[in-house]
């Protein structure tokens, strides 16, 4: 199991967050230019909302525990499905958590305080043999979508892909 600590979590503003920051800067310039104290108060209030949102987005991923939950071996040509369990040891609920690989993503899940959720990642297979799952990204944009926080895991999981059964084989 891997616990997501502060050093493993990255955070950047989304396009909406960047536009919000530019709007705040324009509001600051306008309110300073016209010496409007009410506009300055609104600008600082919205700036504090932005900073609290950044903290909440980062905290939504912090202390989550990710562990592997197995994989079902497919036939060649079918998708290999890897399962991960995300556990929330804290008392606060975690919302809109997404698990993704380079090519596929799972639906966002929410985890109650002290709960656990199972996410499934699909990897396309073309031939038989071992298929590795090299990189998994767990991300969130909660709340408001102004920031995106993510953590990258390298689980090193493998799934055995069986040969495809012949279509014209005798019974």
């Amino acid at each position: 199991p891997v616990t997501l600590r502060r050093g493993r979590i990255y955070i950047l503003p989304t396009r909406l967050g960047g536009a919000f920051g530019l709007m705040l800067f324009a509001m600051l310039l306008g309110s300073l230019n016209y010496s409007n104290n009410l506009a300055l108060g609104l600008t600082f209030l919205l700036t504090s909302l932005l900073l609290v949102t950044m903290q909440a987005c980062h905290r939504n991923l912090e202390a989550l525990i990710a562990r592997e939950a197995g994989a079902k071996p497919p036939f060649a040509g079918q998708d290999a499905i890897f399962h991960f369990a995300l556990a929330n040891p804290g008392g606060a609920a975690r919302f809109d958590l997404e698990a993704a690989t380079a090519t596929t993503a799972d639906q966002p899940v929410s985890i109650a305080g002290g709960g656990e959720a199972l996410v499934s990642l699909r990897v396309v297979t073309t031939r038989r043999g071992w298929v590795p799952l090299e990189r998994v990204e767990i991300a969130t944009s909660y709340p408001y979508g102004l920031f995106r926080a993510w953590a990258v895991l390298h689980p090193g999981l493998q799934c055995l892909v069986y040969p495809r059964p012949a279509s014209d084989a005798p019974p």
Side-chain angles (χ1 to χ4, degrees), residues 126-167:
T126 55
R127 60 188 189 93
R128 66 183 184 159
W130 289 101
V131 173
L133 181 65
E134 297 171 354
R135 177 185 163 127
V136 175
E137 185 176 280
I138 299 173
T140 185
S141 292
Y142 177 84
Y144 307 128
L146 297 176
F147 291 93
R148 182 174 184 272
W150 73 94
V152 178
L153 305 176
H154 299 279
L157 291 176
Q158 291 183 347
C159 179
L160 181 61
V161 178
Y162 292 115
R164 182 180 11 215
S167 59

mmCIF file of all heavy atoms in Angstrom, residues 126-167:
data_model
loop_
_atom_site.group_PDB
_atom_site.id
_atom_site.type_symbol
_atom_site.label_atom_id
_atom_site.label_comp_id
_atom_site.label_asym_id
_atom_site.label_seq_id
_atom_site.Cartn_x
_atom_site.Cartn_y
_atom_site.Cartn_z
ATOM 1 N N THR A 126 -2.996 -6.653 -27.072
ATOM 2 C CA THR A 126 -3.011 -7.097 -28.468
ATOM 3 C C THR A 126 -2.421 -8.488 -28.634
ATOM 4 O O THR A 126 -2.706 -9.170 -29.602
ATOM 5 C CB THR A 126 -2.221 -6.115 -29.350
ATOM 6 O OG1 THR A 126 -0.907 -5.970 -28.816
ATOM 7 C CG2 THR A 126 -2.919 -4.768 -29.378
ATOM 8 N N ARG A 127 -1.569 -8.883 -27.705
ATOM 9 C CA ARG A 127 -0.948 -10.204 -27.818
ATOM 10 C C ARG A 127 -0.864 -10.828 -26.436
ATOM 11 O O ARG A 127 -1.043 -10.164 -25.419
ATOM 12 C CB ARG A 127 0.419 -10.118 -28.472
ATOM 13 C CG ARG A 127 1.402 -9.260 -27.727
ATOM 14 C CD ARG A 127 2.692 -9.056 -28.522
ATOM 15 N NE ARG A 127 3.680 -8.413 -27.691
ATOM 16 C CZ ARG A 127 4.591 -9.045 -26.975
ATOM 17 N NH1 ARG A 127 4.650 -10.353 -26.990
ATOM 18 N NH2 ARG A 127 5.455 -8.384 -26.252
ATOM 19 N N ARG A 128 -0.550 -12.118 -26.420
ATOM 20 C CA ARG A 128 -0.482 -12.841 -25.152
ATOM 21 C C ARG A 128 0.818 -12.516 -24.423
ATOM 22 O O ARG A 128 1.743 -11.949 -24.978
ATOM 23 C CB ARG A 128 -0.585 -14.331 -25.402
ATOM 24 C CG ARG A 128 0.600 -14.882 -26.169
ATOM 25 C CD ARG A 128 0.403 -16.332 -26.445
ATOM 26 N NE ARG A 128 1.608 -16.863 -27.097
ATOM 27 C CZ ARG A 128 1.915 -18.113 -27.120
ATOM 28 N NH1 ARG A 128 1.142 -18.998 -26.513
ATOM 29 N NH2 ARG A 128 2.994 -18.531 -27.712
ATOM 30 N N GLY A 129 0.858 -12.903 -23.160
ATOM 31 C CA GLY A 129 2.047 -12.665 -22.341
ATOM 32 C C GLY A 129 1.705 -11.756 -21.170
ATOM 33 O O GLY A 129 0.547 -11.555 -20.819
ATOM 34 N N TRP A 130 2.742 -11.209 -20.571
ATOM 35 C CA TRP A 130 2.567 -10.340 -19.413
ATOM 36 C C TRP A 130 2.344 -8.903 -19.882
ATOM 37 O O TRP A 130 3.088 -8.387 -20.700
ATOM 38 C CB TRP A 130 3.796 -10.394 -18.515
ATOM 39 C CG TRP A 130 3.932 -11.699 -17.797
ATOM 40 C CD1 TRP A 130 4.756 -12.732 -18.123
ATOM 41 C CD2 TRP A 130 3.214 -12.111 -16.647
ATOM 42 N NE1 TRP A 130 4.593 -13.772 -17.257
ATOM 43 C CE2 TRP A 130 3.654 -13.417 -16.326
ATOM 44 C CE3 TRP A 130 2.244 -11.526 -15.859
ATOM 45 C CZ2 TRP A 130 3.152 -14.126 -15.250
ATOM 46 C CZ3 TRP A 130 1.749 -12.240 -14.787
ATOM 47 C CH2 TRP A 130 2.201 -13.525 -14.489
ATOM 48 N N VAL A 131 1.316 -8.265 -19.338
ATOM 49 C CA VAL A 131 1.021 -6.860 -19.624
ATOM 50 C C VAL A 131 1.272 -6.070 -18.341
ATOM 51 O O VAL A 131 0.643 -6.329 -17.314
ATOM 52 C CB VAL A 131 -0.443 -6.676 -20.079
ATOM 53 C CG1 VAL A 131 -0.787 -5.213 -20.208
ATOM 54 C CG2 VAL A 131 -0.673 -7.393 -21.375
ATOM 55 N N PRO A 132 2.198 -5.106 -18.382
ATOM 56 C CA PRO A 132 2.480 -4.338 -17.169
ATOM 57 C C PRO A 132 1.575 -3.111 -17.033
ATOM 58 O O PRO A 132 1.100 -2.559 -18.019
ATOM 59 C CB PRO A 132 3.930 -3.911 -17.375
ATOM 60 C CG PRO A 132 4.065 -3.784 -18.859
ATOM 61 C CD PRO A 132 3.159 -4.840 -19.447
ATOM 62 N N LEU A 133 1.336 -2.712 -15.823
ATOM 63 C CA LEU A 133 0.694 -1.432 -15.510
ATOM 64 C C LEU A 133 1.780 -0.594 -14.854
ATOM 65 O O LEU A 133 2.112 -0.795 -13.692
ATOM 66 C CB LEU A 133 -0.498 -1.623 -14.582
ATOM 67 C CG LEU A 133 -1.243 -0.352 -14.208
ATOM 68 C CD1 LEU A 133 -1.896 0.255 -15.440
ATOM 69 C CD2 LEU A 133 -2.286 -0.640 -13.157
ATOM 70 N N GLU A 134 2.337 0.321 -15.624
ATOM 71 C CA GLU A 134 3.543 1.007 -15.163
ATOM 72 C C GLU A 134 3.276 2.296 -14.404
ATOM 73 O O GLU A 134 4.021 2.660 -13.521
ATOM 74 C CB GLU A 134 4.443 1.293 -16.362
ATOM 75 C CG GLU A 134 4.915 0.017 -17.019
ATOM 76 C CD GLU A 134 5.624 0.277 -18.328
ATOM 77 O OE1 GLU A 134 5.649 1.427 -18.768
ATOM 78 O OE2 GLU A 134 6.141 -0.687 -18.894
ATOM 79 N N ARG A 135 2.210 3.023 -14.777
ATOM 80 C CA ARG A 135 2.008 4.338 -14.172
ATOM 81 C C ARG A 135 0.516 4.581 -13.969
ATOM 82 O O ARG A 135 -0.284 4.427 -14.884
ATOM 83 C CB ARG A 135 2.583 5.397 -15.100
ATOM 84 C CG ARG A 135 2.385 6.793 -14.665
ATOM 85 C CD ARG A 135 2.899 7.738 -15.733
ATOM 86 N NE ARG A 135 2.360 9.048 -15.510
ATOM 87 C CZ ARG A 135 3.085 10.129 -15.415
ATOM 88 N NH1 ARG A 135 4.380 10.058 -15.571
ATOM 89 N NH2 ARG A 135 2.534 11.284 -15.207
ATOM 90 N N VAL A 136 0.153 4.982 -12.776
ATOM 91 C CA VAL A 136 -1.233 5.304 -12.436
ATOM 92 C C VAL A 136 -1.250 6.704 -11.825
ATOM 93 O O VAL A 136 -0.406 7.033 -10.986
ATOM 94 C CB VAL A 136 -1.823 4.291 -11.433
ATOM 95 C CG1 VAL A 136 -3.217 4.698 -11.003
ATOM 96 C CG2 VAL A 136 -1.830 2.909 -12.024
ATOM 97 N N GLU A 137 -2.198 7.507 -12.261
ATOM 98 C CA GLU A 137 -2.335 8.871 -11.742
ATOM 99 C C GLU A 137 -3.658 8.987 -11.002
ATOM 100 O O GLU A 137 -4.714 8.674 -11.553
ATOM 101 C CB GLU A 137 -2.286 9.851 -12.908
ATOM 102 C CG GLU A 137 -2.291 11.288 -12.488
ATOM 103 C CD GLU A 137 -2.154 12.205 -13.686
ATOM 104 O OE1 GLU A 137 -1.039 12.384 -14.168
ATOM 105 O OE2 GLU A 137 -3.191 12.717 -14.131
ATOM 106 N N ILE A 138 -3.602 9.427 -9.764
ATOM 107 C CA ILE A 138 -4.795 9.673 -8.969
ATOM 108 C C ILE A 138 -4.928 11.177 -8.843
ATOM 109 O O ILE A 138 -4.005 11.845 -8.378
ATOM 110 C CB ILE A 138 -4.696 9.000 -7.592
ATOM 111 C CG1 ILE A 138 -4.557 7.491 -7.775
ATOM 112 C CG2 ILE A 138 -5.907 9.321 -6.743
ATOM 113 C CD1 ILE A 138 -4.281 6.748 -6.517
ATOM 114 N N ALA A 139 -6.072 11.714 -9.283
ATOM 115 C CA ALA A 139 -6.223 13.168 -9.374
ATOM 116 C C ALA A 139 -7.587 13.605 -8.867
ATOM 117 O O ALA A 139 -8.522 12.814 -8.761
ATOM 118 C CB ALA A 139 -6.052 13.619 -10.820
ATOM 119 N N THR A 140 -7.692 14.911 -8.569
ATOM 120 C CA THR A 140 -8.948 15.519 -8.168
ATOM 121 C C THR A 140 -8.939 16.998 -8.548
ATOM 122 O O THR A 140 -7.872 17.623 -8.615
ATOM 123 C CB THR A 140 -9.199 15.365 -6.661
ATOM 124 O OG1 THR A 140 -10.504 15.873 -6.368
ATOM 125 C CG2 THR A 140 -8.178 16.084 -5.829
ATOM 126 N N SER A 141 -10.125 17.537 -8.806
ATOM 127 C CA SER A 141 -10.301 18.975 -9.036
ATOM 128 C C SER A 141 -11.318 19.557 -8.062
ATOM 129 O O SER A 141 -11.845 20.640 -8.285
ATOM 130 C CB SER A 141 -10.776 19.230 -10.471
ATOM 131 O OG SER A 141 -9.777 18.918 -11.384
ATOM 132 N N TYR A 142 -11.597 18.816 -7.027
ATOM 133 C CA TYR A 142 -12.566 19.249 -6.033
ATOM 134 C C TYR A 142 -11.927 20.265 -5.106
ATOM 135 O O TYR A 142 -10.767 20.082 -4.730
ATOM 136 C CB TYR A 142 -13.052 18.035 -5.231
ATOM 137 C CG TYR A 142 -14.008 18.361 -4.133
ATOM 138 C CD1 TYR A 142 -15.356 18.510 -4.402
ATOM 139 C CD2 TYR A 142 -13.569 18.547 -2.834
ATOM 140 C CE1 TYR A 142 -16.242 18.814 -3.398
ATOM 141 C CE2 TYR A 142 -14.450 18.861 -1.828
ATOM 142 C CZ TYR A 142 -15.780 18.992 -2.114
ATOM 143 O OH TYR A 142 -16.660 19.303 -1.117
ATOM 144 N N PRO A 143 -12.518 21.304 -4.670
ATOM 145 C CA PRO A 143 -13.809 21.871 -5.021
ATOM 146 C C PRO A 143 -13.676 22.957 -6.090
ATOM 147 O O PRO A 143 -12.599 23.525 -6.268
ATOM 148 C CB PRO A 143 -14.272 22.490 -3.705
ATOM 149 C CG PRO A 143 -13.006 22.938 -3.048
ATOM 150 C CD PRO A 143 -11.956 21.950 -3.481
ATOM 151 N N TYR A 144 -14.712 23.240 -6.779
ATOM 152 C CA TYR A 144 -14.872 24.337 -7.742
ATOM 153 C C TYR A 144 -14.087 24.188 -9.029
ATOM 154 O O TYR A 144 -14.244 24.986 -9.932
ATOM 155 C CB TYR A 144 -14.530 25.694 -7.115
ATOM 156 C CG TYR A 144 -15.256 25.983 -5.838
ATOM 157 C CD1 TYR A 144 -14.553 26.370 -4.707
ATOM 158 C CD2 TYR A 144 -16.629 25.850 -5.742
ATOM 159 C CE1 TYR A 144 -15.213 26.634 -3.517
ATOM 160 C CE2 TYR A 144 -17.295 26.098 -4.560
ATOM 161 C CZ TYR A 144 -16.577 26.494 -3.458
ATOM 162 O OH TYR A 144 -17.222 26.746 -2.296
ATOM 163 N N GLY A 145 -13.165 23.248 -9.155
ATOM 164 C CA GLY A 145 -12.423 23.065 -10.387
ATOM 165 C C GLY A 145 -11.390 24.142 -10.672
ATOM 166 O O GLY A 145 -10.932 24.277 -11.802
ATOM 167 N N LEU A 146 -10.979 24.908 -9.673
ATOM 168 C CA LEU A 146 -9.978 25.958 -9.885
ATOM 169 C C LEU A 146 -8.558 25.406 -9.876
ATOM 170 O O LEU A 146 -7.659 25.993 -10.485
ATOM 171 C CB LEU A 146 -10.114 27.046 -8.819
ATOM 172 C CG LEU A 146 -11.433 27.813 -8.820
ATOM 173 C CD1 LEU A 146 -11.471 28.799 -7.662
ATOM 174 C CD2 LEU A 146 -11.641 28.512 -10.137
ATOM 175 N N PHE A 147 -8.341 24.294 -9.183
ATOM 176 C CA PHE A 147 -7.033 23.657 -9.109
ATOM 177 C C PHE A 147 -7.179 22.173 -9.407
ATOM 178 O O PHE A 147 -8.245 21.595 -9.235
ATOM 179 C CB PHE A 147 -6.412 23.838 -7.718
ATOM 180 C CG PHE A 147 -6.021 25.249 -7.427
ATOM 181 C CD1 PHE A 147 -6.887 26.097 -6.785
ATOM 182 C CD2 PHE A 147 -4.788 25.722 -7.822
ATOM 183 C CE1 PHE A 147 -6.541 27.408 -6.532
ATOM 184 C CE2 PHE A 147 -4.424 27.019 -7.570
ATOM 185 C CZ PHE A 147 -5.309 27.877 -6.922
ATOM 186 N N ARG A 148 -6.085 21.563 -9.846
ATOM 187 C CA ARG A 148 -6.043 20.116 -10.079
ATOM 188 C C ARG A 148 -4.853 19.562 -9.303
ATOM 189 O O ARG A 148 -3.708 19.963 -9.543
ATOM 190 C CB ARG A 148 -5.896 19.794 -11.555
ATOM 191 C CG ARG A 148 -5.895 18.307 -11.832
ATOM 192 C CD ARG A 148 -5.902 18.044 -13.330
ATOM 193 N NE ARG A 148 -6.002 16.631 -13.599
ATOM 194 C CZ ARG A 148 -4.976 15.809 -13.696
ATOM 195 N NH1 ARG A 148 -3.748 16.265 -13.561
ATOM 196 N NH2 ARG A 148 -5.161 14.532 -13.939
ATOM 197 N N ALA A 149 -5.126 18.657 -8.375
ATOM 198 C CA ALA A 149 -4.078 18.000 -7.597
ATOM 199 C C ALA A 149 -3.983 16.561 -8.067
ATOM 200 O O ALA A 149 -4.999 15.926 -8.351
ATOM 201 C CB ALA A 149 -4.398 18.059 -6.110
ATOM 202 N N TRP A 150 -2.758 16.041 -8.164
ATOM 203 C CA TRP A 150 -2.580 14.660 -8.609
ATOM 204 C C TRP A 150 -1.348 14.053 -7.958
ATOM 205 O O TRP A 150 -0.459 14.756 -7.495
ATOM 206 C CB TRP A 150 -2.468 14.581 -10.127
ATOM 207 C CG TRP A 150 -1.187 15.084 -10.688
ATOM 208 C CD1 TRP A 150 -0.071 14.356 -10.990
ATOM 209 C CD2 TRP A 150 -0.856 16.438 -11.011
ATOM 210 N NE1 TRP A 150 0.912 15.160 -11.485
ATOM 211 C CE2 TRP A 150 0.453 16.446 -11.512
ATOM 212 C CE3 TRP A 150 -1.541 17.646 -10.925
ATOM 213 C CZ2 TRP A 150 1.091 17.607 -11.919
ATOM 214 C CZ3 TRP A 150 -0.905 18.798 -11.334
ATOM 215 C CH2 TRP A 150 0.384 18.765 -11.823
ATOM 216 N N ALA A 151 -1.342 12.739 -7.927
ATOM 217 C CA ALA A 151 -0.201 11.967 -7.433
ATOM 218 C C ALA A 151 0.031 10.842 -8.428
ATOM 219 O O ALA A 151 -0.911 10.251 -8.951
ATOM 220 C CB ALA A 151 -0.482 11.402 -6.049
ATOM 221 N N VAL A 152 1.292 10.539 -8.689
ATOM 222 C CA VAL A 152 1.665 9.498 -9.649
ATOM 223 C C VAL A 152 2.178 8.297 -8.872
ATOM 224 O O VAL A 152 3.042 8.421 -8.007
ATOM 225 C CB VAL A 152 2.735 10.012 -10.627
ATOM 226 C CG1 VAL A 152 3.151 8.911 -11.579
ATOM 227 C CG2 VAL A 152 2.215 11.207 -11.388
ATOM 228 N N LEU A 153 1.616 7.129 -9.193
ATOM 229 C CA LEU A 153 2.041 5.881 -8.573
ATOM 230 C C LEU A 153 2.658 4.990 -9.636
ATOM 231 O O LEU A 153 2.196 4.955 -10.774
ATOM 232 C CB LEU A 153 0.849 5.169 -7.943
ATOM 233 C CG LEU A 153 0.030 5.953 -6.930
ATOM 234 C CD1 LEU A 153 -1.163 5.134 -6.492
ATOM 235 C CD2 LEU A 153 0.879 6.326 -5.745
ATOM 236 N N HIS A 154 3.672 4.249 -9.262
ATOM 237 C CA HIS A 154 4.308 3.257 -10.136
ATOM 238 C C HIS A 154 4.164 1.892 -9.470
ATOM 239 O O HIS A 154 5.087 1.414 -8.811
ATOM 240 C CB HIS A 154 5.781 3.599 -10.364
ATOM 241 C CG HIS A 154 5.979 4.920 -11.026
ATOM 242 N ND1 HIS A 154 5.852 5.095 -12.370
ATOM 243 C CD2 HIS A 154 6.264 6.143 -10.516
ATOM 244 C CE1 HIS A 154 6.073 6.348 -12.682
ATOM 245 N NE2 HIS A 154 6.318 7.019 -11.569
ATOM 246 N N PRO A 155 3.002 1.243 -9.651
ATOM 247 C CA PRO A 155 2.756 0.009 -8.897
ATOM 248 C C PRO A 155 3.546 -1.190 -9.386
ATOM 249 O O PRO A 155 3.797 -2.111 -8.625
ATOM 250 C CB PRO A 155 1.257 -0.222 -9.084
ATOM 251 C CG PRO A 155 0.938 0.444 -10.358
ATOM 252 C CD PRO A 155 1.865 1.623 -10.469
ATOM 253 N N GLY A 156 3.936 -1.246 -10.649
ATOM 254 C CA GLY A 156 4.668 -2.401 -11.158
ATOM 255 C C GLY A 156 3.821 -3.656 -11.235
ATOM 256 O O GLY A 156 4.347 -4.763 -11.119
ATOM 257 N N LEU A 157 2.518 -3.518 -11.414
ATOM 258 C CA LEU A 157 1.625 -4.672 -11.523
ATOM 259 C C LEU A 157 1.733 -5.306 -12.908
ATOM 260 O O LEU A 157 2.014 -4.630 -13.891
ATOM 261 C CB LEU A 157 0.178 -4.248 -11.304
ATOM 262 C CG LEU A 157 -0.202 -3.818 -9.902
ATOM 263 C CD1 LEU A 157 -1.639 -3.349 -9.886
ATOM 264 C CD2 LEU A 157 -0.024 -4.949 -8.932
ATOM 265 N N GLN A 158 1.473 -6.600 -12.965
ATOM 266 C CA GLN A 158 1.452 -7.322 -14.222
ATOM 267 C C GLN A 158 0.208 -8.202 -14.263
ATOM 268 O O GLN A 158 -0.287 -8.652 -13.232
ATOM 269 C CB GLN A 158 2.683 -8.200 -14.374
ATOM 270 C CG GLN A 158 3.956 -7.430 -14.564
ATOM 271 C CD GLN A 158 5.128 -8.348 -14.788
ATOM 272 O OE1 GLN A 158 5.034 -9.547 -14.564
ATOM 273 N NE2 GLN A 158 6.232 -7.795 -15.238
ATOM 274 N N CYS A 159 -0.263 -8.420 -15.483
ATOM 275 C CA CYS A 159 -1.416 -9.292 -15.687
ATOM 276 C C CYS A 159 -1.072 -10.248 -16.821
ATOM 277 O O CYS A 159 -0.519 -9.836 -17.842
ATOM 278 C CB CYS A 159 -2.644 -8.464 -16.036
ATOM 279 S SG CYS A 159 -4.113 -9.436 -16.341
ATOM 280 N N LEU A 160 -1.377 -11.522 -16.640
ATOM 281 C CA LEU A 160 -1.104 -12.522 -17.663
ATOM 282 C C LEU A 160 -2.243 -12.545 -18.673
ATOM 283 O O LEU A 160 -3.411 -12.686 -18.301
ATOM 284 C CB LEU A 160 -0.939 -13.905 -17.029
ATOM 285 C CG LEU A 160 -0.616 -15.041 -17.992
ATOM 286 C CD1 LEU A 160 0.702 -14.785 -18.710
ATOM 287 C CD2 LEU A 160 -0.566 -16.360 -17.262
ATOM 288 N N VAL A 161 -1.898 -12.393 -19.952
ATOM 289 C CA VAL A 161 -2.881 -12.426 -21.032
ATOM 290 C C VAL A 161 -2.767 -13.784 -21.714
ATOM 291 O O VAL A 161 -1.698 -14.154 -22.213
ATOM 292 C CB VAL A 161 -2.639 -11.283 -22.038
ATOM 293 C CG1 VAL A 161 -3.631 -11.360 -23.182
ATOM 294 C CG2 VAL A 161 -2.722 -9.940 -21.346
ATOM 295 N N TYR A 162 -3.881 -14.514 -21.729
ATOM 296 C CA TYR A 162 -3.903 -15.844 -22.332
ATOM 297 C C TYR A 162 -4.074 -15.737 -23.846
ATOM 298 O O TYR A 162 -4.616 -14.756 -24.345
ATOM 299 C CB TYR A 162 -5.043 -16.672 -21.753
ATOM 300 C CG TYR A 162 -4.840 -17.028 -20.304
ATOM 301 C CD1 TYR A 162 -5.682 -16.543 -19.323
ATOM 302 C CD2 TYR A 162 -3.797 -17.859 -19.927
ATOM 303 C CE1 TYR A 162 -5.485 -16.866 -17.994
ATOM 304 C CE2 TYR A 162 -3.605 -18.178 -18.595
ATOM 305 C CZ TYR A 162 -4.441 -17.689 -17.636
ATOM 306 O OH TYR A 162 -4.260 -18.003 -16.327
ATOM 307 N N PRO A 163 -3.638 -16.767 -24.579
ATOM 308 C CA PRO A 163 -3.851 -16.751 -26.031
ATOM 309 C C PRO A 163 -5.352 -16.762 -26.355
ATOM 310 O O PRO A 163 -6.148 -17.365 -25.646
ATOM 311 C CB PRO A 163 -3.201 -18.031 -26.524
ATOM 312 C CG PRO A 163 -2.367 -18.520 -25.403
ATOM 313 C CD PRO A 163 -2.891 -17.928 -24.156
ATOM 314 N N ARG A 164 -5.684 -16.104 -27.452
ATOM 315 C CA ARG A 164 -7.088 -16.053 -27.882
ATOM 316 C C ARG A 164 -7.496 -17.442 -28.373
ATOM 317 O O ARG A 164 -6.766 -18.073 -29.151
ATOM 318 C CB ARG A 164 -7.252 -15.027 -28.983
ATOM 319 C CG ARG A 164 -8.663 -14.869 -29.453
ATOM 320 C CD ARG A 164 -8.799 -13.835 -30.548
ATOM 321 N NE ARG A 164 -7.494 -13.415 -31.067
ATOM 322 C CZ ARG A 164 -7.198 -12.202 -31.468
ATOM 323 N NH1 ARG A 164 -8.090 -11.273 -31.420
ATOM 324 N NH2 ARG A 164 -6.004 -11.899 -31.923
ATOM 325 N N PRO A 165 -8.652 -17.930 -27.952
ATOM 326 C CA PRO A 165 -9.099 -19.238 -28.435
ATOM 327 C C PRO A 165 -9.373 -19.190 -29.939
ATOM 328 O O PRO A 165 -9.841 -18.173 -30.466
ATOM 329 C CB PRO A 165 -10.398 -19.488 -27.669
ATOM 330 C CG PRO A 165 -10.414 -18.509 -26.553
ATOM 331 C CD PRO A 165 -9.550 -17.375 -26.947
ATOM 332 N N ALA A 166 -9.075 -20.281 -30.611
ATOM 333 C CA ALA A 166 -9.306 -20.348 -32.046
ATOM 334 C C ALA A 166 -10.812 -20.340 -32.323
ATOM 335 O O ALA A 166 -11.594 -20.996 -31.625
ATOM 336 C CB ALA A 166 -8.690 -21.608 -32.629
ATOM 337 N N SER A 167 -11.227 -19.595 -33.342
ATOM 338 C CA SER A 167 -12.656 -19.476 -33.632
ATOM 339 C C SER A 167 -13.218 -20.715 -34.328
ATOM 340 O O SER A 167 -14.390 -21.024 -34.192
ATOM 341 C CB SER A 167 -12.903 -18.249 -34.501
ATOM 342 O OG SER A 167 -12.163 -18.368 -35.712
#
